[in-house]
Amino acid sequence: MSFFSINKSFKGGVHPDEHKDLTENSAFELMPYPAEVVLPLSQHIGKPSKVLVKKRDLVKSGQVIAEPDGFISSIIHSPITGKIKDIGKTASVGGRPQEAVTIVAEGEDEVVFMEPLDADSISPEMIIERVKEAGIVGQGGAAFPTYVKLMPPKDKNIECIIINGAECEPYLTRDYRYMVERTQDLIVGIKLIMRALGVKRGIIGIEDNKPEAIKMLKEATSQNSEIKVEVLKTKYPQGAEKMLIKVAVNKEVPPGKLPLDVGVVIQNIRTAISVFDAVVKGEPQITAALTVSGFGIKTPKNLIVRVGTTVQQVLDYCGGTNEDARKVIVGGPMMGVAQYDMSAPIQKATSGLLVLTEPEMKHSQETNCLRCGACVDVCALNLIPKDLAKFSKAGKWDEAEALGVTVCMECGTCSYNCPANIPLVQWIRLGKQRVINIQRSKQNVS
Amino acid sequence: MEPTLILAIATMGGLGLFFAAGLAIADKKLAVEDNPFVVKINEALPGVNCGACGKAGCYDFAVNVAEGTASVTGCPVGGSDTAKEIAMIMGVEAADSEIKTIPRILCKGGNSEAVNKMVDYYGPLSCSAMEIVSGGEKQCLYGCLGAGDCVDACPFDALVMNENGIPEVVPDLCTSCGICVKSCPRDIIEMHPIDQTVFVFCKNQDDPRTAKEVCNVACIACGICARKSDGGIEIINNVGVINYSLLDDTKIPFEKCKTGAIQKIDLELDLGIKMKKN
């Protein structure tokens, strides 16, 4: 590694307080499975899955209870052994009630996993089939069904995969723990993904605030010429797809295009671990790994829980919340969703559960825009957040579209850096959604 | 007087006269023949360029009417008087004068009726922005969010937010343009003839128990009104929906509605209150 490749970075970005020390040294703990789980039927991007079970059916851990409905969709397995209590709308971490299956634990835990396969001899088709059967979804946050990502269109030439170990969101240490605890499994998982895609080049991108993980992965890959560890500068949003590609392979993804278009597939650290589990152990995705952190929780932990465990159950398991706790967020503090209903269940792709106190939050009075350009300086996508927000607020969708509102990835860097405390990303998000709706309706007309 | 001053006045005045003459000639020689219908129609229109007709503005609407691509009754703001005038200009029969329609906000779940979540909302104070996250502070997923997108959208200041956090219409200022209907992310505003008095003031499609939990004045789909109404009211998706063509309001037992979701409003009183507010 040359001197110049160290601390590679991109334009813009911010340095929020990391607070990773709260949990980075606590090993994963397996939370015992709860008496009742709630499984939303839409834990992925795409169409909600179709339910295969009825009320009062008995299910075992690992049994398929919902099948994909369409190409971009996912299988859902029962995470516990028990009886279907109800199928209907329940609270979700997304903030909006969702169709979900409620299962009550009953009897001994019976596990019906798939047959373990040999990681050395398995064919690419079989890997993809297994990933699909295991219901694996991208663990980076968007929860895109992984098998779809492993089957890029024929005309796209995939040159390399990037494994995203940046974990640029403050507080979260889930991927870090996987890198140090299951280093060998991770490498096998990455190899499986590379074989499924037929690529010979793999890059693991890690921010330089995780020296332990960098050291261990460099050691583990020292004999392997195909997989390389890339050290990245610690900066938010380093873990965003486009930033990672820019830094790791020095390519820019054009607006409106996907990483596929520049020959790159990105997978999260835990996705690679899940692929390993599915192939080598035959385990479907019935657990979620998450960092429970923040100064508002009694004992911060890295947990592995059954999918469908509610936020409240997780909070109770971690000793409950402190008195000064003010806000509960699912996901990271920058892009996560604030929760109002603690009965919302943890989903497959949930990566963090944060309980924040007043000093950790930024709730100051909004004032007028100073036109200082602080948001423009930090926007990693070279947008002009102040104008996008202004046009969204005024309902001027055409102008917002012309300035590229749909390019925004909603990382929240602009809002974080705004000295006037303007909720920039919230306005931009509104504009983005409206413009996309308008574009769609225009397409339908023409 | 200084001779330079006289020279300056004469020069500027002379130039002014010269250019005025040039403009006067150009005005006559190069005049663009305007469609006389368009001019007349444009004069008959309210001239607020609100866009409620779906055209770019009043002049554009006039051009469309003159070309026959828009209906003479297409201006909701002008109402029947304008429609008649335009019909006269175009030499066609205007449809019977319609009763003015005004928007009705079909939610009574204001701050004192709706149950709040145990959270504070921080973010843009706009109903649309609230709707794309978790939907503001109220628990109800179907009711008024109270941030006043409709009040902001109204070009005629005909909507005011009352103390309870529910917008109210000022009928005198309302021009029936319908812009507020489009601005509401929860679709709770509907246009109704001004003499229509019976409404189900709820859009909550939750099951009755949830509906009751989230709001004191929600329709809980008990169906009493539907049974007595001979088809005038139907319960669709856990909420009463009125079929105005079959409605006979003498048959509806308003006092039996447990939550007061269905109401017959007193026009006199309703308008009176609003006049005072105005």
Side-chain angles (χ1 to χ4, degrees):
Chain A
M1 182 152 298
S2 75
F3 175 75
F4 290 104
S5 65
I6 299 174
N7 293 354
K8 276 185 180 175
S9 198
F10 57 95
K11 178 248 152 195
V14 288
H15 300 277
D17 290 343
E18 286 172 25
H19 296 304
K20 296 212 187 230
D21 51 328
L22 286 172
T23 50
E24 66 185 352
N25 292 320
S26 53
F28 275 122
E29 206 173 298
L30 211 62
M31 179 175 160
Y33 81 66
E36 188 177 301
V37 294
V38 182
L39 282 179
L41 293 173
S42 180
Q43 302 186 32
H44 48 265
I45 283 190
K47 269 181 112 178
S49 313
K50 261 195 299 203
V51 197
L52 296 173
V53 287
K54 297 186 302 296
K55 233 172 156 173
R56 286 187 287 282
D57 277 2
L58 290 169
V59 292
K60 293 171 184 165
S61 298
Q63 185 183 332
V64 177
I65 62 159
E67 62 175 10
D69 185 8
F71 183 61
I72 301 182
S73 190
S74 176
I75 290 185
I76 296 172
H77 304 78
S78 171
I80 63 172
T81 304
K83 196 189 253 180
I84 309 286
K85 183 185 164 197
D86 198 11
I87 300 172
K89 289 213 158 161
T90 58
S92 84
V93 289
R96 196 155 283 280
Q98 257 189 12
E99 281 296 311
V101 180
T102 308
I103 307 172
V104 181
E106 210 176 84
E108 285 284 297
D109 189 14
E110 279 182 71
V111 181
V112 280
F113 281 179
M114 294 168 290
E115 194 189 327
L117 299 169
D118 180 29
D120 294 326
S121 60
I122 187 170
S123 71
E125 291 75 30
M126 276 172 78
I127 299 173
I128 294 169
E129 191 54 34
R130 177 49 67 94
V131 167
K132 188 177 176 185
E133 278 172 15
I136 297 175
V137 300
Q139 296 287 315
F144 195 81
T146 301
Y147 83 94
V148 182
K149 259 181 155 179
L150 296 181
M151 298 194 310
K154 288 276 177 294
D155 56 327
K156 302 273 193 280
N157 182 26
I158 305 299
E159 289 161 15
C160 77
I161 67 159
I162 301 177
I163 300 295
N164 188 352
E167 203 162 49
C168 59
E169 279 267 11
Y171 296 93
L172 304 189
T173 54
R174 178 193 73 173
D175 293 346
Y176 170 72
R177 288 312 305 172
Y178 272 123
M179 286 189 270
V180 297
E181 282 181 41
R182 296 183 64 182
T183 319
Q184 289 307 324
D185 295 354
L186 175 64
I187 301 291
V188 176
I190 296 171
K191 280 183 188 160
L192 286 168
I193 294 172
M194 284 165 68
R195 193 178 312 153
L197 281 164
V199 295
K200 290 270 172 272
R201 192 172 160 216
I203 299 169
I204 309 173
I206 310 172
E207 280 190 349
D208 56 12
N209 61 352
K210 306 176 191 58
E212 189 71 10
I214 294 168
K215 202 182 102 203
M216 291 181 76
L217 277 166
K218 273 193 175 162
E219 258 168 41
T221 55
S222 58
Q223 303 302 316
N224 193 322
S225 59
E226 291 177 355
I227 304 175
K228 204 177 91 183
V229 175
E230 187 79 65
V231 183
L232 318 164
K233 191 175 171 187
T234 303
K235 185 156 83 172
Y236 182 87
Q238 182 65 73
E241 271 184 352
K242 289 181 181 179
M243 310 302 103
L244 200 57
I245 292 173
K246 170 80 183 121
V247 175
V249 294
N250 198 19
K251 280 183 182 169
E252 284 210 32
V253 183
K257 297 280 183 186
L258 295 168
L260 281 180
D261 297 304
V262 293
V264 177
V265 169
I266 295 196
Q267 297 287 3
N268 181 267
I269 293 281
R270 187 172 189 248
T271 313
I273 296 279
S274 299
V275 171
F276 172 86
D277 285 347
V279 173
V280 179
K281 296 185 186 164
E283 185 187 324
Q285 195 155 53
I286 57 169
T287 59
L290 64 157
T291 300
V292 187
S293 189
F295 289 96
I297 190 95
K298 288 255 161 64
T299 46
K301 279 175 183 171
N302 291 302
L303 277 185
I304 293 182
V305 304
R306 302 288 170 125
V307 172
T309 308
T310 62
V311 170
Q312 188 63 55
Q313 286 162 347
V314 176
L315 293 179
D316 290 345
Y317 183 75
C318 294
T321 53
N322 292 329
E323 261 167 33
D324 53 351
R326 282 295 313 277
K327 192 174 188 177
V328 176
I329 296 175
V330 162
M334 296 295 282
M335 285 186 78
V337 182
Q339 300 297 309
Y340 62 90
D341 191 341
M342 298 306 142
S343 66
I346 302 294
Q347 303 189 355
K348 284 179 185 176
T350 304
S351 57
L353 178 59
L354 307 177
V355 185
L356 304 184
T357 54
E358 194 73 53
E360 295 168 270
M361 307 191 298
K362 185 190 173 194
H363 278 164
S364 313
Q365 188 62 42
E366 180 183 341
T367 54
N368 289 332
C369 177
L370 311 160
R371 285 151 183 88
C372 63
C375 53
V376 184
D377 287 345
V378 295
C379 180
L381 293 172
N382 299 314
L383 297 169
I384 310 170
K386 74 168 181 69
D387 282 355
L388 293 177
K390 184 176 78 186
F391 289 134
S392 296
K393 197 171 176 178
K396 294 190 185 288
W397 314 124
D398 289 347
E399 284 88 339
E401 188 180 1
L403 283 179
V405 73
T406 54
V407 178
C408 174
M409 58 178 173
E410 303 168 23
C411 67
T413 311
C414 49
S415 303
Y416 177 84
N417 211 36
C418 179
N421 303 308
I422 300 168
L424 290 163
V425 71
Q426 287 87 338
W427 282 118
I428 295 172
R429 202 168 160 218
L430 172 67
K432 182 178 166 185
Q433 208 181 54
R434 281 295 168 86
V435 169
I436 289 173
N437 286 346
I438 293 168
Q439 284 173 345
R440 279 202 192 127
S441 58
K442 268 185 195 159
Q443 264 169 17
N444 290 347
V445 169
S446 59
Chain B
M1 211 183 275
E2 290 278 330
T4 33
L5 203 61
I6 296 166
L7 189 68
I9 291 170
T11 318
M12 293 313 289
L15 276 173
L17 279 173
F18 175 72
F19 286 123
L23 282 172
I25 293 164
D27 187 45
K28 291 285 172 225
K29 289 265 177 195
L30 305 172
V32 178
E33 198 70 20
D34 234 347
N35 186 339
F37 288 112
V38 174
V39 178
K40 277 189 196 162
I41 296 168
N42 194 32
E43 273 165 16
L45 288 168
V48 280
N49 295 320
C50 66
C53 54
K55 301 290 179 281
C58 290
Y59 188 82
D60 190 31
F61 174 72
V63 171
N64 275 279
V65 172
E67 284 171 359
T69 49
S71 157
V72 290
T73 54
C75 176
V77 176
S80 58
D81 291 346
T82 307
K84 265 187 215 155
E85 214 172 313
I86 299 172
M88 226 158 69
I89 297 164
M90 293 300 289
V92 292
E93 284 283 311
D96 285 342
S97 64
E98 283 171 27
I99 298 164
K100 181 179 174 180
T101 60
I102 61 166
R104 290 288 182 185
I105 288 88
L106 299 184
C107 174
K108 292 264 180 201
N111 297 334
S112 50
E113 291 90 10
V115 179
N116 276 1
K117 296 167 186 160
M118 298 293 285
V119 293
D120 301 321
Y121 171 84
Y122 290 96
L125 286 177
S126 144
C127 306
S128 318
M130 286 179 180
E131 179 65 4
I132 60 170
V133 283
S134 306
E137 289 184 5
K138 288 179 195 167
Q139 284 196 6
C140 180
L141 291 163
Y142 303 91
C144 177
L145 286 159
D149 275 15
C150 50
V151 176
D152 293 343
C154 180
F156 305 98
D157 295 336
L159 282 162
V160 282
M161 192 58 82
N162 68 16
E163 286 136 24
N164 199 18
I166 297 285
E168 280 185 31
V169 187
V170 185
D172 282 357
L173 294 177
C174 178
T175 60
S176 320
C177 69
I179 287 173
C180 51
V181 176
K182 288 176 205 151
S183 74
C184 180
R186 289 195 157 172
D187 297 332
I188 57 169
I189 307 182
E190 284 177 9
M191 300 301 290
H192 284 284
I194 198 164
D195 59 351
Q196 188 66 256
T197 54
V198 182
F199 301 98
V200 176
F201 287 103
C202 185
K203 291 269 180 185
N204 191 311
Q205 300 180 7
D206 284 328
D207 59 281
R209 195 196 297 171
T210 318
K212 212 171 171 180
E213 274 171 18
V214 300
C215 185
N216 292 337
V217 291
C219 172
I220 52 168
C222 65
I224 292 176
C225 56
R227 279 194 293 280
K228 303 271 181 189
S229 69
D230 288 336
I233 301 172
E234 252 186 289
I235 303 289
I236 301 172
N237 289 334
N238 291 323
V239 62
V241 176
I242 301 179
N243 181 348
Y244 285 101
S245 59
L246 292 174
L247 183 75
D248 177 2
D249 54 11
T250 53
K251 283 184 184 164
I252 298 167
F254 293 103
E255 69 289 348
K256 288 231 175 100
C257 181
K258 286 176 193 127
T259 57
I262 184 163
Q263 281 182 20
K264 185 184 172 77
I265 51 172
D266 188 334
L267 274 186
E268 201 66 15
L269 191 68
D270 200 41
L271 301 188
I273 288 168
K274 278 158 191 168
M275 304 293 242
K276 223 187 284 163
K277 264 200 169 303
N278 184 28

